[in-house]
């Protein structure tokens, strides 16, 4: 899943925005995991995995806040990028299809985060590079957990359908990343030329 170098250049130019939006993403990741814990109470593996994931994301959130504090970056509200909403609009409404779609989207968000951390690392200072290297590992694990859960909770005999949804969301995701975005965010697409 390569992404355009233009995003890297924008990220390095707007490191304050990168950190603030990164903090937002960690907080949102924890909140998404917790909302699944409220809705799907009868799935023990999902509850356990999401509880662990939420705790890890909140720890990441605290780590980003600490980096921001040491660098004098002030946390302020930022509008969300169109990325997550652009994926979630395709979620089917009936369960277990709804759950499967949300889990697949979770997997792609984690995968894209990993890819962006990995691409940024060679350009960052030692402290941030070390932090992002640790995140590549944990978000990579989250990606695998989300996909495992999506396959597990699909309807019986629905394996082919899950695989088809994985392909479908891969295409949506690639489209969102390759289109232009007017505002730079952690999951934004190509920076606008204007
Ligand atoms: Fe995280
Ligand atoms: Fe994660």
């Amino acid at each position: 899943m390569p992404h355009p170098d233009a995003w890297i250049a924008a990220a390095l130019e707007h490191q304050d925005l990168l950190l603030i939006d990164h903090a937002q993403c960690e907080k949102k990741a924890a909140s998404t995991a917790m909302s699944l814990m409220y809705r799907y109470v009868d799935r023990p593996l999902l509850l356990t995995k999401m509880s662990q994931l939420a705790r890890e994301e909140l720890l990441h959130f605290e780590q980003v806040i600490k980096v921001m504090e040491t660098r004098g970056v002030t946390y302020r509200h930022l509008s969300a990028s169109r990325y997550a909403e652009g994926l979630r609009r395709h979620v089917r409404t009936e369960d277990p299809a709804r759950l499967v779609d949300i889990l697949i989207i979770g997997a792609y968000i984690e995968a894209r985060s990993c890819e962006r951390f990995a691409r940024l690392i060679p350009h960052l200072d030692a402290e941030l590079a070390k932090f992002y290297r640790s995140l590549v590992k944990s978000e990579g694990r989250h990606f695998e957990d989300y996909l495992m859960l999506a396959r597990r909770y699909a309807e019986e005999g629905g394996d082919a359908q899950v695989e088809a949804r994985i392909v479908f969301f891969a295409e949506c995701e690639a489209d969102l990343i390759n289109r232009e975005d007017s505002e730079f965010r952690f999951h934004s697409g190509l920076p606008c030329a204007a």
Side-chain angles (χ1 to χ4, degrees), residues 15-41:
Q15 281 201 35
D16 289 14
L17 273 182
L18 176 77
L19 288 170
I20 298 170
D21 198 49
H22 177 187
Q24 288 285 104
C25 291
E26 298 290 1
K27 196 164 55 170
K28 187 71 179 69
S31 147
T32 301
M34 289 203 62
S35 66
L36 288 172
M37 290 164 64
Y38 277 101
R39 188 167 172 127
Y40 301 100
V41 292

Side-chain angles (χ1 to χ4, degrees), residues 109-173:
I109 294 175
E110 298 284 356
R112 180 59 64 186
S113 304
C114 270
E115 199 257 351
R116 296 218 145 160
F117 289 133
R119 292 288 300 275
L120 281 166
I121 287 167
H123 307 282
L124 299 172
D125 58 87
E127 182 199 37
L128 207 51
K130 186 175 173 215
F131 175 37
Y132 278 10
R133 264 197 298 276
S134 74
L135 292 182
V136 169
K137 280 189 201 148
S138 41
E139 315 302 7
R141 194 160 25 77
H142 297 164
F143 160 74
E144 286 170 9
D145 282 346
Y146 269 124
L147 267 193
M148 177 274 291
L149 291 170
R151 290 181 170 127
R152 184 183 180 107
Y153 293 122
E155 257 173 322
E156 214 151 295
D159 297 0
Q161 203 184 31
V162 177
E163 299 313 312
R165 292 304 278 174
I166 291 172
V167 172
F168 169 77
F169 280 110
E171 286 163 6
C172 294
E173 204 272 347

